[in-house]
Amino acid sequence: MNAKRKIIIDCDPGIDDALALMLALCSPEVEILGITVVCGNVPTEKGAENALKVLQWMDRLDIPVYLGEERPLVRNYVDAMDTHGEDGLGESHYPYVTTVRPRAGAVKFLADSLLTAAASKEKLSIIALGPLTNLARLVQQSPESLDGLDQLVSMGGSYKSHGNCSPVAEYNYWCDPHGAKVVYNAFYTLPQLSGKEIHMIGLDVTRQIVLTPNLLEYMCRLNPERGEIIRRITGFYMDFHWAQEGIIGCVINDPLAVAYFLAPSLCTGFSSYTDVETEGISLGQTLVDAYGFWGRHPNSHILTETNPVSFMEMFCSRVLKGSEKALHPMLCQLMGGCEK
Ligand code: BDR
Ligand code: CA
């Protein structure tokens, strides 16, 4: 068997972050060195408590959780508790973990882990599920450590899809547009990242991943204990989607970033130079230069298509332990059919 790929998950849990963590924790191909938390959906400390709750559900409290940046690089911090609830987990109010506490120093942990990876030649990947503030600080404070980076997958931005914070902006990049710009810029300019691209899992693909009440019911039948956790944390999120977008169900963005890292064929897209707007009414918009107007080499790989049934198969087989053979026909039925 191939060696496990080492990863750090940088996140802001967050309901869909929690689902993404569950998927990663059920995936034998990866070794999660740590979870770093950034301010986003909820303030950093609350996000770290939520990461610990997820680790407790999954019996993996051995994985360290690190506190990261408490505010965006330049902008005032705007949380997303209207979407994720006061506790950030859909007002499920699971008890706090008391046996383990979050550690300080997410950016230092990222830098040290990358430097170790660079020295050992066993590179390290980062899956970023929140605003890119921690990673922007990493670029500013320890650019040499990026030599140890294998792949960066970032849930954020959009190419042709409308935004979820403004007509054009997605929350993670809107929350800290300057942070996102620093990271995209680093992938254009830094020699140690030469030839590398940020894998951008934006709203174009994540909007296709909708957890409907039927799918949720199926998950509860497959695995009553984990299904119940998912039911308890997503009810608030479903109500929000109904009020905001007229959707029955909820878009679960972050788990697709993990799924894509595990199985890149789940999404397809193209390479492009991308920049992030930091001012005015388009604040946080990703400007994807798909047609090469600026003549710049690519710093990003923009994912535009995905296969929602294959994603759900992966999620249900791993997190809910559903039998792979039975899943496919059932998911085809629940998700509106598959090609014969
Ligand atoms: C992103 O913003 C957050 O609310 C979600 O956790 C996800 O990372 C979607 O725009
Ligand atoms: Ca998130």
Side-chain angles (χ1 to χ4, degrees):
M1 194 180 136
N2 290 338
K4 287 174 184 267
R5 291 177 74 186
K6 290 185 192 306
I7 62 167
I8 292 175
I9 302 181
D10 187 66
C11 57
D12 60 337
I15 296 164
D16 57 336
D17 300 76
L19 299 174
L21 289 172
M22 289 170 90
L23 176 59
L25 290 162
C26 293
S27 296
E29 306 91 330
V30 293
E31 179 188 345
I32 306 171
L33 300 189
I35 296 171
T36 52
V37 179
V38 66
C39 66
N41 292 322
V42 288
T44 312
E45 280 193 16
K46 203 176 268 192
E49 297 294 351
N50 291 340
L52 288 173
K53 290 181 187 183
V54 179
L55 292 175
Q56 173 140 293
W57 303 335
M58 308 302 282
D59 203 15
R60 288 302 310 274
L61 281 170
D62 55 297
I63 297 175
V65 173
Y66 289 87
L67 296 159
E69 296 300 300
E70 292 179 354
R71 57 187 59 88
L73 251 46
V74 176
R75 271 196 89 194
N76 286 337
Y77 169 46
V78 182
D79 66 48
M81 293 199 278
D82 59 339
T83 316
H84 294 263
E86 276 303 307
D87 67 348
L89 291 178
E91 310 202 340
S92 54
H93 297 297
Y94 276 96
Y96 287 105
V97 172
T98 52
T99 48
V100 192
R101 303 306 305 140
R103 305 176 189 189
V107 177
K108 184 170 185 312
F109 171 71
L110 282 159
D112 290 348
S113 306
L114 285 164
L115 287 169
T116 306
S120 76
K121 295 280 171 253
E122 199 189 339
K123 296 214 170 181
L124 167 64
S125 293
I126 299 173
I127 304 179
L129 308 175
L132 293 176
T133 321
N134 285 344
L135 301 190
R137 291 292 181 210
L138 178 74
V139 168
Q140 292 173 332
Q141 292 168 17
S142 183
E144 69 288 355
S145 70
L146 292 163
D147 206 21
L149 183 72
D150 182 6
Q151 204 178 354
L152 170 60
V153 178
S154 164
M155 191 281 128
S158 71
Y159 169 46
K160 287 190 172 169
S161 170
H162 58 288
N164 59 7
C165 280
S166 81
V168 295
E170 177 282 329
Y171 175 75
N172 287 337
Y173 294 0
W174 174 86
C175 178
D176 190 354
H178 302 84
K181 189 179 181 76
V182 164
V183 177
Y184 275 80
N185 205 21
F187 275 73
Y188 185 69
T189 55
L190 292 183
Q192 58 274 42
L193 293 173
S194 150
K196 291 201 187 296
E197 297 170 352
I198 299 171
H199 295 256
M200 189 184 102
I201 297 283
L203 295 174
D204 302 270
V205 276
T206 66
R207 279 192 192 284
Q208 299 175 46
I209 308 296
V210 181
L211 176 63
T212 60
N214 274 352
L215 282 170
L216 180 58
E217 187 58 37
Y218 184 44
M219 290 179 182
C220 292
R221 302 280 171 122
L222 288 173
N223 187 320
E225 192 186 325
R226 288 191 181 160
E228 194 47 43
I229 293 172
I230 297 172
R231 192 202 294 281
R232 196 161 146 185
I233 67 175
T234 55
F236 185 97
Y237 207 30
M238 289 199 186
D239 290 345
F240 173 84
H241 277 79
W242 171 244
Q244 203 70 19
E245 306 208 9
I247 294 175
I248 303 267
C250 53
V251 176
I252 49 170
N253 306 278
D254 293 339
L256 185 64
V258 171
Y260 168 74
F261 179 79
L262 297 166
S265 63
L266 267 180
C267 301
T268 55
F270 62 93
S271 293
S272 171
Y273 176 77
T274 296
D275 204 345
V276 183
E277 180 56 82
T278 55
E279 284 176 2
I281 59 171
S282 303
L283 186 83
Q285 179 177 17
T286 34
L287 295 138
V288 177
D289 189 16
Y291 297 96
F293 287 103
W294 296 328
R296 295 185 157 196
H297 65 77
N299 60 350
S300 60
H301 193 68
I302 307 296
L303 286 313
T304 54
E305 296 297 333
T306 189
N307 183 332
V309 172
S310 299
F311 165 81
M312 280 299 169
E313 270 183 78
M314 178 191 271
F315 190 87
C316 290
S317 65
R318 293 180 182 218
V319 178
L320 289 315
K321 310 272 178 243
S323 123
E324 283 184 42
K325 238 168 99 188
L327 284 172
H328 187 73
M330 193 64 214
L331 289 171
C332 288
Q333 185 201 317
L334 292 172
M335 298 176 75
C338 300
E339 280 168 33
K340 290 265 163 11

